[in-house]
């Protein structure tokens, strides 16, 4: 086993050296050691990959689909994505030049930011938020400017956006995520329209992370791109709605002028995504069988959401309006104070229920817990019984 030459310790990229292991991961690892714990921590579907997707991957392997695909991804998948965006969200993106298949939504975020940022460039990020946006921005030598939003629903308002733009007129990008991880809240069309009216006066590129778009329980998902097509890039993928996190298929859709630059980063970094994984995603986005499979999972999430949101409210938690994704963002009952880290640690170690402290998602999250309901109804019922008991003794 080689030992690194000691003097190499100072040789690394300073931005990378600053990146700390994610709090969420560390906390999850710590509480996972509690015997028989029920975990509501993980943002990952508990369903098997739909059969139609598995079969497509098997067929691709058997057909020796094993060569470098085009950098933007296989044409079949880009066409399926083009169909998906038109069919579900009435958006028009061409397979050629306006869509790129990425290694999960994660690479889509990275490639978008890398295409935009020069050292020191600012990126506006409303909080509470998915922590990776800030980490990636800083790792790329940019500077994350957080915009704290306010309870109960933490929805970015036009006034909050205007204030951030006025204070940071040189910012390059705004990152939005709706439905939101961690809150489950999403924008209404009117709210998106109001934000678009502010944004169109600026040169901000909006990185619109819509990875949970197929998991909207009331009404349907609307993309900001409907109102702001010229400066929005949509990020999405098969990980959540297709229960395919391990296949690593995401995508970016945007105007050709932006996609050309993002495509350079993407091609240099990854050459092309994996052929069998792309083949698996084709029916998810492009077939009725794939759509039906995602709808079935969505119905199960919805029943779990209804159960958990109701149970938590009965226990004195205040839950942000959970219209989408598979998370509840719950404010601690008034008599439990606002130290979410201590509460979540005790709930895990004494109550055997693992949740994520809200403050790990940035300003505004203090005094909250994020609970994932991407787990079985039986596990949720055990969790509720345990939380009830814990609160009686806490
Ligand atoms: C908001 C958000 N964006 C992106 C991702 C990453 O998605 P993928 O697994 O497709 O890379 C996640 C995963 O938890 C997420 O919650």
């Amino acid at each position: 086993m080689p030992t690194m030459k000691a003097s190499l310790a100072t040789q690394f990229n300073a931005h990378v050296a600053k990146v700390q292991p994610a709090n969420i991961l560390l906390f999850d690892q710590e509480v996972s050691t509690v015997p028989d714990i029920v975990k509501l921590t993980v943002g990952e579907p508990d369903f098997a990959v739909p059969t139609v997707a598995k079969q497509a991957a098997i067929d691709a392997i058997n057909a020796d689909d094993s060569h470098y695909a085009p950098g933007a991804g296989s044409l079949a998948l880009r066409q399926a994505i083009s169909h998906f965006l038109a069919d579900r969200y009435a958006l028009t993106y061409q397979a050629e030049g306006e869509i790129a298949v990425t290694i999960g939504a994660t690479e889509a975020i990275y490639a978008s930011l890398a295409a935009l940022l020069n050292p020191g460039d600012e990126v506006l990020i409303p909080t509470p938020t998915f922590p990776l946006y800030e980490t990636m921005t800083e790792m790329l030598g940019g500077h994350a400017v957080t915009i704290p939003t306010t309870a109960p629903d933490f929805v970015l308002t036009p006034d909050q956006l205007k204030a951030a733009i006025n204070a940071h007129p040189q910012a390059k990008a705004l990152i939005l995520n709706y439905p939101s991880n961690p809150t489950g809240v999403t924008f209404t069309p009117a709210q998106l329209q109001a934000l678009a009216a502010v944004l169109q006066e600026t040169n901000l590129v909006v990185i619109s992370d819509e990875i949970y778009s197929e998991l909207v329980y009331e009404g349907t998902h609307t993309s900001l791109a409907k109102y702001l097509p010229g400066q929005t890039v949509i990020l999405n993928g098969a990980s959540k709605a297709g229960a395919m996190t391990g296949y690593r298929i995401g995508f970016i859709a945007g105007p050709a002028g932006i996609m050309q630059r993002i495509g350079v980063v993407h091609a240099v970094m990854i050459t092309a995504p994996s052929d069998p994984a792309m083949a698996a995603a084709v029916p998810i986005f492009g077939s009725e069988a794939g759509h039906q499979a995602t709808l079935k999972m969505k119905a199960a999430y919805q029943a779990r959401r209804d159960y958990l949101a109701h149970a938590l409210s009965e226990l004195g938690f205040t839950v942000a309006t959970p219209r989408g994704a598979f998370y509840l963002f719950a404010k601690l009952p008034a008599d439990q104070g606002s130290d979410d880290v201590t509460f979540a640690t005790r709930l895990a170690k004494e109550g055997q229920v693992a949740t994520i402290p809200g403050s790990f998602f940035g300003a505004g999250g203090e005094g909250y817990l994020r609970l994932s309901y991407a787990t079985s109804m039986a596990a949720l019922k055990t969790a509720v019984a345990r939380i009830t008991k814990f609160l009686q003794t806490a």
Side-chain angles (χ1 to χ4, degrees), residues 75-119:
L75 184 60
L77 181 52
R78 282 180 283 133
Q79 283 169 339
I81 292 167
S82 174
H83 161 82
F84 165 79
L85 291 171
D87 182 58
R88 310 283 217 290
Y89 312 125
L91 298 168
T92 306
Y93 289 90
Q94 307 298 331
E96 215 55 73
E98 297 176 350
I99 293 171
V101 180
T102 55
I103 308 296
T106 302
E107 193 236 325
I109 306 164
Y110 191 91
S112 305
L113 286 171
L116 279 166
L117 299 184
N118 289 312

Side-chain angles (χ1 to χ4, degrees), residues 43 104-106 109 130 133 177 181 209 211-212 239-240 248 327:
T106 302
I109 306 164
F130 181 51
Y133 305 137
N177 166 225
N181 174 7
D209 182 344
I211 188 76
Y212 297 101
S239 298
K240 309 292 177 169
R248 311 305 303 130
Y327 309 101

